[in-house]
Amino acid sequence: MKASVVSPGTERAFIMTLENTDHNYPRVLGYSAAGVVLKVGRDVTDFKPGDRVAGIMPHANIHNVEGRNLVHIPDDVSFEQAAFVRIGVISMQAVRKARLELGERTLVLGLGLIGQMAMQLAKANGASPLIGLDIVESRRCLARELGCTHVFDSREENIEEILQHIGDGRLPQVVIESTGLPGPVELAIRLTGRYGRVIMLGSTRGSTEINFYRDVHKKGIQIIGAHISCNPTDSSYPGYWTFQDNADCFMRFLSEGRICVEKLISQRADHYDYQDIYTNVLHPAEDYITSVIIWEGV
């Protein structure tokens, strides 16, 4: 292993055994990393020792992984950048499920690590205007820096009127909910325009009360679950790509400069500094997005 990326919301939820986690211990945290192949099985043909790879791997200095959960890293992409691969794929598969069309009004609710990535991918997919909502000012500023056209505090009393003003009287056609909290789910659905789509990207830890007649049935909206486990493992089809196909696309986007991950890094730390890393995860400052764990000689 060379570098791995912390997924703060997920890892915090599992450490604290929040609702919708499996509560199994002991457990290994982490699922997005990059490194170098040391050995391959005798039937492996796509990879060889010495290859630079990224994929679904935990925070560990060495790990066995199936070939279908790995991709090659382009020469002009660093281990640190490539280590964001599964973070990118999680966000990418949600944007694919939204079936975004060029110029569709899109709102990303929650601008943490996953939300910032989803926002950039929605932009790459032609979302316009692109609106971000978060209660943290530093996250709103970062989203604007990364290409969001409008950012607002989601606690604004007249947020619905603000969004209608931006949309010439109409609410967003696509809303990507990425907070991972149960409360904002109701807001995401309420802020979706007629015939729109709500993409459930964040893994919520609790229950939400919804007025389905008012906010779903009467508006004719769709609510689309976008957990990464719903994706195929063998072959891709429209809206549902395999991990490898999504990951290869994400690597190209990094290589072409379409996606920025460097500005999402709040902390770089050696793996021996795990106490500092997980203090940030469990008690994050407002401007904290994620940590990159350095394993050796990156």
Side-chain angles (χ1 to χ4, degrees):
M1 202 72 73
K2 295 293 185 180
S4 59
V5 175
V6 172
S7 180
T10 298
E11 295 186 35
R12 184 185 310 120
F14 276 94
I15 291 170
M16 300 177 67
T17 61
L18 299 183
E19 191 170 342
N20 297 332
T21 59
D22 58 28
H23 298 192
N24 291 333
Y25 290 95
R27 68 179 313 114
V28 178
L29 297 172
Y31 55 62
S32 190
V36 176
V37 176
L38 295 179
K39 295 181 180 181
V40 299
R42 63 184 179 185
D43 296 327
V44 174
T45 58
D46 294 337
F47 302 97
K48 65 184 184 303
D51 283 354
R52 301 168 71 244
V53 295
I56 304 173
M57 298 178 284
H59 303 311
N61 65 345
I62 189 168
H63 184 65
N64 291 325
V65 60
E66 293 185 55
R68 67 182 181 183
N69 290 331
L70 284 180
V71 292
H72 292 279
I73 302 174
D75 292 340
D76 55 355
V77 173
S78 70
F79 285 116
E80 191 175 275
Q81 291 173 308
F84 280 82
V85 60
R86 200 175 189 218
I87 305 296
V89 169
I90 287 170
S91 301
M92 183 177 288
Q93 57 89 31
V95 173
R96 289 195 192 284
K97 290 177 174 66
R99 305 293 182 94
L100 267 168
E101 295 187 14
L102 291 170
E104 281 199 297
R105 299 180 302 281
T106 302
L107 168 67
V108 178
L109 179 55
L111 297 171
L113 175 61
I114 296 294
Q116 297 282 356
M117 193 73 76
M119 182 274 298
Q120 293 187 69
L121 289 163
K123 178 189 176 186
N125 212 39
S128 177
L130 180 55
I131 306 159
L133 295 186
D134 200 287
I135 64 174
V136 178
E137 182 180 3
S138 61
R139 291 183 176 187
R140 298 196 298 269
C141 292
L142 176 59
R144 185 180 289 279
E145 187 177 348
L146 292 175
C148 211
T149 57
H150 303 79
V151 292
F152 301 100
D153 189 326
S154 53
R155 297 169 298 188
E156 292 271 3
E157 290 185 5
N158 60 335
I159 191 64
E160 191 167 340
E161 289 77 13
I162 291 172
L163 297 179
Q164 287 174 328
H165 177 72
I166 293 171
D168 295 324
R170 295 167 294 177
L171 289 170
Q173 294 153 297
V174 173
V175 175
I176 301 174
E177 203 296 312
S178 62
T179 67
L181 301 171
V185 172
E186 186 274 337
L187 178 64
I189 293 172
R190 181 158 47 87
L191 295 181
T192 303
R194 287 174 63 84
Y195 318 123
R197 289 99 71 203
V198 180
I199 313 302
M200 299 302 301
L201 172 56
S203 296
T204 53
R205 312 297 174 183
S207 301
T208 304
E209 185 173 325
I210 303 296
N211 185 327
F212 270 90
Y213 176 76
R214 182 192 66 195
D215 296 332
V216 179
H217 182 53
K218 196 172 180 181
K219 294 196 296 184
I221 70 172
Q222 301 175 54
I223 301 174
I224 302 170
H227 194 278
I228 194 170
S229 64
C230 296
N231 291 313
T233 57
D234 298 318
S235 58
S236 300
Y237 57 97
Y240 293 82
W241 286 28
T242 65
F243 172 80
Q244 275 196 324
D245 286 346
N246 271 322
D248 278 329
C249 178
F250 183 70
M251 289 297 148
R252 291 196 302 273
F253 277 19
L254 287 173
S255 179
E256 296 165 3
R258 298 193 189 194
I259 297 294
C260 174
V261 298
E262 291 84 355
K263 293 182 185 296
L264 304 179
I265 301 171
S266 306
Q267 177 191 28
R268 292 176 176 88
D270 188 275
H271 62 283
Y272 288 114
D273 298 325
Y274 63 90
Q275 289 181 323
D276 290 339
I277 294 166
Y278 282 93
T279 294
N280 281 328
V281 171
L282 294 172
H283 308 286
E286 278 200 342
D287 59 353
Y288 177 77
I289 300 294
T290 192
S291 301
V292 170
I293 301 176
I294 308 300
W295 290 92
E296 58 170 275
V298 178

